[in-house]
Amino acid sequence: MYQYQHGGDIYSQKTTAEGKSFVDFSANINPLGLPKGVKKAIISSLASCINYPDAFCRELKIATAEFLQVKADYLFFGNGAADVLFRLALSLKPAKALLLAPTFADYEKALRSVDCEISYYNLPKELGFTVEEGILEQLQPGLDIVVICNPNNPTGLVCQEALLQRILDRCKQIGATLLIDECFMDFVPTAKAYSFRTRLADYDNLVILKAFTKTFAIPGVRLGYCMTGNTRLIARLHEVGQDWNVSIMAQEAGKAAVLEKAYLTKAFAYVEKQRTFLVKELRKLPRITVYDSLANYIFFRLPEPRNLVEQLKERGFLIRSCANYHNLGEGYYRIAVKKQSENRALLKELKEILKNN
């Protein structure tokens, strides 16, 4: 039977045994929720749903290109970033890939769908799961694609820009595509945030993955995209799937989202404040190791109790066990940065559980 591997499963069990609704810390969504302008745009778009959506997302493409300051021809949109991942796998049909371990599970899932052979760069535990220069030794001829999640999921750690540049140059040298997932880069504090989209014109082997999902709190709408200066790949992405993969509602939501500059400023400041608070308070707990995440989620290790997920679930809180990630195991967890009241409530329950175990 197929096993769901992600957070955000609020459907298998909708309430606790006492009928209490869950607070979902397992999915990393902007805690400020759906922007008013986006909600209004979705509602207004319903009247247009009697038509097929624009297969080329032309208005959305122009709006997003202006927002990102990239060429509109570099953009391809999909039904969430995961949809784009599978199209990339089908378009490129790589024979050999290199992934980080741990990292987001759908890279492997998409690559396995085209029978790609996968190897891993095991992020060194003793160095806090950071990407180090050792990865360069694994970038050898014969590799077709390398995937770097930046900041990485589940760790929230960013690869140093100079090292990532060396990885990109090495990939170009050996003829490999470098896919950089920047879906969570928006939440990284300005001093440490960066994007490789300024390099798209110079590297036709570079693809950057992004999503509206997390930044604008619209995972149920499904809207993601990739950027690449390789126009042949853009054409191929259109060829390998259905034409109407982005609904009218999603396109209108995206057009409205890129106008929400005040919302973004407020959200990023709020997430940074709450992340700092959560990390500080978590580190006061016994037996816990908290990593220096820069994203809107926090990665930590807590060996005992082993049934932490179950105990928190009984108390109405969902968190993400990372036991099924490559190069991890039992005792590793990820939690989202949520609203202050929810963060405090989770901390309270964690303290109670640890006091009694």
Side-chain angles (χ1 to χ4, degrees):
M1 183 177 176
Y2 177 73
Q3 296 292 319
Y4 183 76
Q5 297 187 59
H6 306 287
D9 182 12
I10 58 172
Y11 305 100
S12 295
Q13 182 182 338
K14 294 188 176 182
T15 64
T16 65
E18 291 75 29
K20 180 182 177 182
S21 296
F22 290 110
V23 181
D24 186 12
F25 276 83
S26 69
N28 313 311
I29 310 301
N30 191 324
L32 296 192
L34 190 68
K36 291 181 180 179
V38 175
K39 183 176 182 179
K40 182 178 179 181
I42 292 171
I43 294 170
S44 297
S45 73
L46 293 176
S48 299
C49 288
I50 59 169
N51 304 309
Y52 281 98
D54 177 6
F56 298 99
C57 301
R58 278 164 277 215
E59 292 182 358
L60 174 60
K61 188 180 291 185
I62 291 169
T64 306
E66 183 177 347
F67 176 68
L68 296 172
Q69 293 297 291
V70 299
K71 292 183 179 180
D73 291 345
Y74 288 1
L75 295 168
F76 175 84
F77 292 88
N79 183 36
D83 174 49
V84 179
L85 269 177
F86 278 83
R87 287 200 183 223
L88 283 167
L90 194 55
S91 298
L92 296 168
K93 287 194 175 177
K96 292 185 178 180
L98 178 67
L99 304 180
L100 304 180
T103 199
F104 180 51
D106 270 14
Y107 308 138
E108 180 170 340
K109 185 179 179 183
L111 291 166
R112 296 277 187 207
S113 74
V114 293
D115 298 321
C116 181
E117 178 186 327
I118 297 170
S119 57
Y120 304 93
Y121 169 67
N122 288 323
L123 296 168
K125 296 180 183 181
E126 66 276 10
L127 297 175
F129 296 101
T130 55
V131 181
E132 301 293 329
E133 289 192 1
I135 192 174
L136 297 169
E137 298 174 6
Q138 292 186 238
L139 303 181
Q140 299 297 328
L143 269 180
D144 297 303
I145 188 169
V146 176
V147 184
I148 303 288
C149 187
N150 198 38
N152 193 25
N153 179 2
T155 66
L157 301 173
V158 174
C159 179
Q160 293 299 312
E161 187 173 5
L163 176 56
L164 192 54
Q165 180 62 56
R166 293 175 67 187
I167 293 170
L168 175 57
D169 287 332
R170 179 59 178 159
C171 285
K172 187 174 181 67
Q173 184 182 22
I174 65 175
T177 296
L178 176 61
L179 173 60
I180 304 176
D181 184 344
E182 295 185 1
C183 283
F184 292 103
M185 187 61 79
D186 294 339
F187 294 100
V188 175
T190 305
K192 296 186 178 180
Y194 65 88
S195 172
F196 264 41
R197 65 177 181 267
T198 57
R199 296 161 170 85
L200 290 170
D202 298 321
Y203 292 86
D204 64 358
N205 67 317
L206 174 62
V207 182
I208 297 173
L209 188 69
K210 290 281 286 182
F212 286 78
T213 302
K214 311 298 193 300
T215 306
F216 297 100
I218 52 172
V221 174
R222 310 305 303 139
L223 182 60
Y225 60 98
C226 70
M227 297 175 267
T228 181
N230 187 339
T231 54
R232 297 184 305 278
L233 177 56
I234 293 288
R236 182 65 179 151
L237 287 165
H238 282 284
E239 291 169 356
V240 297
Q242 60 147 324
D243 285 325
W244 309 288
N245 61 324
V246 183
S247 71
I248 285 176
M249 288 183 290
Q251 292 187 39
E252 292 301 315
K255 285 161 55 181
V258 297
L259 301 176
E260 292 283 346
K261 293 181 174 59
Y263 165 88
L264 291 177
T265 300
K266 182 179 179 181
F268 298 154
Y270 187 85
V271 167
E272 184 171 1
K273 181 179 179 180
Q274 290 303 311
R275 179 181 58 241
T276 302
F277 165 75
L278 268 173
V279 168
K280 179 182 177 182
E281 294 302 312
L282 284 168
R283 283 178 171 158
K284 294 178 182 178
L285 302 178
R287 305 189 301 276
I288 193 168
T289 302
V290 183
Y291 295 87
D292 294 319
S293 172
L294 295 172
N296 62 327
Y297 48 89
I298 296 168
F299 178 61
F300 65 92
R301 183 171 184 263
L302 186 61
E304 299 289 342
R306 293 190 176 185
N307 64 341
L308 180 65
V309 170
E310 290 73 20
Q311 288 199 53
L312 282 170
K313 190 173 183 179
E314 289 174 2
R315 295 164 180 253
F317 293 86
L318 302 178
I319 69 169
R320 176 70 159 94
S321 168
C322 298
N324 64 337
Y325 282 82
H326 289 286
N327 197 31
L328 291 182
E330 295 293 336
Y332 287 96
Y333 305 95
R334 189 196 69 203
I335 58 171
V337 176
K338 296 182 73 66
K339 291 181 179 179
Q340 184 179 56
S341 59
E342 295 168 323
N343 296 334
R344 289 184 181 278
L346 177 66
L347 286 167
K348 179 183 177 183
E349 297 300 333
L350 275 171
K351 289 174 184 176
E352 286 294 319
I353 289 171
L354 294 179
K355 187 171 71 173
N356 297 321
N357 286 269

